[in-house]
Amino acid sequence: MDYRRLGRTGVSVSKLCLGAMMFGEWGTKDHDESIRTIHRALEAGINFIDTADVYSDGESEVIVGKALAGGRRDDVVLASKVHMPMGEDLNSRGNSRRWITHEVDNSLRRLGTDWIDLYQIHRYDPDTDIDETLGALTDLVRAGKVRYIGHSTWPVSAIVEAQWTARERGRERFTCEQPPYNMLVRAIETDTLPTCARYGMGVISYSPLAGGWLTGRYRKGSESEGPFSAARQRLANRFDLSLPENQRKLQAAEQLAELADQAGTTLIEMAIAFVLRHPAITSAIIGPRTMDHLESQLSAADVELPDDVLDRIDEIVPPGLTINPAENGWVSPALQPAARRR
């Protein structure tokens, strides 16, 4: 397993990051099975684990905490997130100082640790002053509860504003961004990745397999109707095959599967290797639900895609294009209702 620096920090992380979203109610309900999968990832050289408070309503964090007990915690770069609703109360969500300082203690308790290496703001909130968010996170760093801070799926304008605010106000700066990125979802190549590179930020991309579209599960003539998990069912617009954009995804996935066969690799390996090949990517988050899923993805760390294969991928899905815009994870300001005249 190769390791890369996380942005401009002194921390090195494995180029594959173990995502824990599928551990718990949303995926594998058996805690012991999930723990065995986590231990296998650590044995394979992965030293980077990413979870969030919202994953299975905190259950994912509990499972990760159990897996790292008994002396494993010190060797792992542990990441979690805050922002998504964790109850019916309107203040039990978002990027406010009140919620961040409250919820970090819940995450620490569930994870069974005294500190989180990378604490990330799960989504951008245009209604909360970035300085308020950065101020709360800075206090957590100085208190020793958090080592570094990051964000996930932020628009470029907010990334730049946050870097400027940190510099002008003397706040801790965000060290990394966590966006969606794969052969079918390439919008971040246009602006997000160059912006992160310009500010020396790491990029921990998620969904390299496009929620199963790049595993070979979705092929013409197959009986797959997905989504198959509770987590995926929350994102049904990305899987509904009656939508024309998803029909275009199906066609592209078919062509990419044929290309993988011609290149002598699996579609899974090609998909993950494609993400890792981009020079701005620090680590690709893999999200296995079972041990078999993990084993099928670990081998991608050793795959190097030649230029002719990359060129062919670009022909199938051009650089900067996301076939189904719903998968970008953020809404362009021009498309937000508040930005319209009527």
Side-chain angles (χ1 to χ4, degrees), residues 2 52 70 112 209 233:
D2 293 333
L209 302 179
Q233 288 167 7

Side-chain angles (χ1 to χ4, degrees), residues 81-322:
K81 310 182 201 70
V82 63
H83 167 87
M84 299 298 188
M86 291 295 287
E88 296 298 323
D89 182 60
L90 291 178
N91 289 315
S92 296
R93 65 196 70 188
N95 302 343
S96 69
R97 169 179 286 274
R98 182 182 190 274
W99 178 238
I100 291 170
T101 55
H102 173 85
E103 185 61 3
V104 69
D105 287 332
N106 288 333
S107 287
L108 289 168
R109 173 180 48 80
R110 289 188 291 258
L111 289 165
T113 185
D114 294 328
W115 81 98
I116 296 170
D117 294 291
L118 176 62
Y119 201 44
Q120 302 159 100
I121 302 300
H122 211 153
R123 289 294 186 273
Y124 174 61
D125 179 4
D127 295 325
T128 302
D129 189 343
I130 284 181
D131 187 53
E132 176 181 347
T133 302
L134 282 171
L137 294 171
T138 297
D139 288 347
L140 294 182
V141 172
R142 293 173 180 172
K145 294 182 178 182
V146 171
R147 299 291 191 257
Y148 301 99
I149 60 174
H151 45 60
S152 176
T153 323
W154 276 32
V156 170
S157 61
I159 295 174
V160 174
E161 182 185 358
Q163 292 291 318
W164 181 90
T165 301
R167 185 187 67 188
E168 294 298 311
R169 306 288 176 82
R171 307 299 195 187
E172 289 288 322
R173 62 187 294 270
F174 287 114
T175 62
C176 59
E177 155 69 358
Q178 185 182 132
Y181 184 46
N182 56 65
M183 293 188 292
L184 303 176
V185 179
R186 303 185 60 175
I188 66 168
E189 293 173 335
T190 302
D191 210 357
T192 300
L193 291 181
T195 298
C196 288
R198 193 158 57 245
Y199 283 103
M201 299 173 64
V203 179
I204 313 157
S205 62
Y206 67 88
S207 196
L209 302 179
W213 283 90
L214 297 175
T215 63
R217 174 186 295 169
Y218 297 90
R219 300 288 296 271
K220 291 181 179 179
S222 72
E223 297 180 358
S224 298
E225 295 181 354
F228 293 87
S229 68
R232 303 306 182 205
Q233 288 167 7
R234 295 165 177 253
L235 308 170
N237 60 336
R238 306 181 189 182
F239 298 89
D240 184 352
L241 291 177
S242 68
L243 299 176
E245 52 267 40
N246 289 334
Q247 282 292 325
R248 291 193 291 271
K249 279 169 53 180
L250 186 64
Q251 181 180 7
E254 184 78 17
Q255 292 176 290
L256 291 167
E258 293 173 359
L259 175 61
D261 289 339
Q262 296 167 8
T265 185
T266 68
L267 180 57
I268 289 173
E269 290 171 338
M270 187 174 79
I272 297 174
F274 166 83
V275 172
L276 292 173
R277 178 67 182 267
H278 198 290
I281 297 293
T282 306
S283 187
I285 298 176
I286 57 174
R289 182 169 52 84
T290 66
M291 188 74 76
D292 288 342
H293 291 168
L294 174 64
E295 295 294 350
S296 70
Q297 296 170 39
L298 285 174
S299 56
D302 300 320
V303 174
E304 292 287 342
L305 297 181
D307 288 344
D308 62 322
V309 172
L310 293 171
D311 290 341
R312 179 67 184 120
I313 293 171
D314 288 348
E315 292 174 1
I316 297 171
V317 182
L321 174 68
T322 293

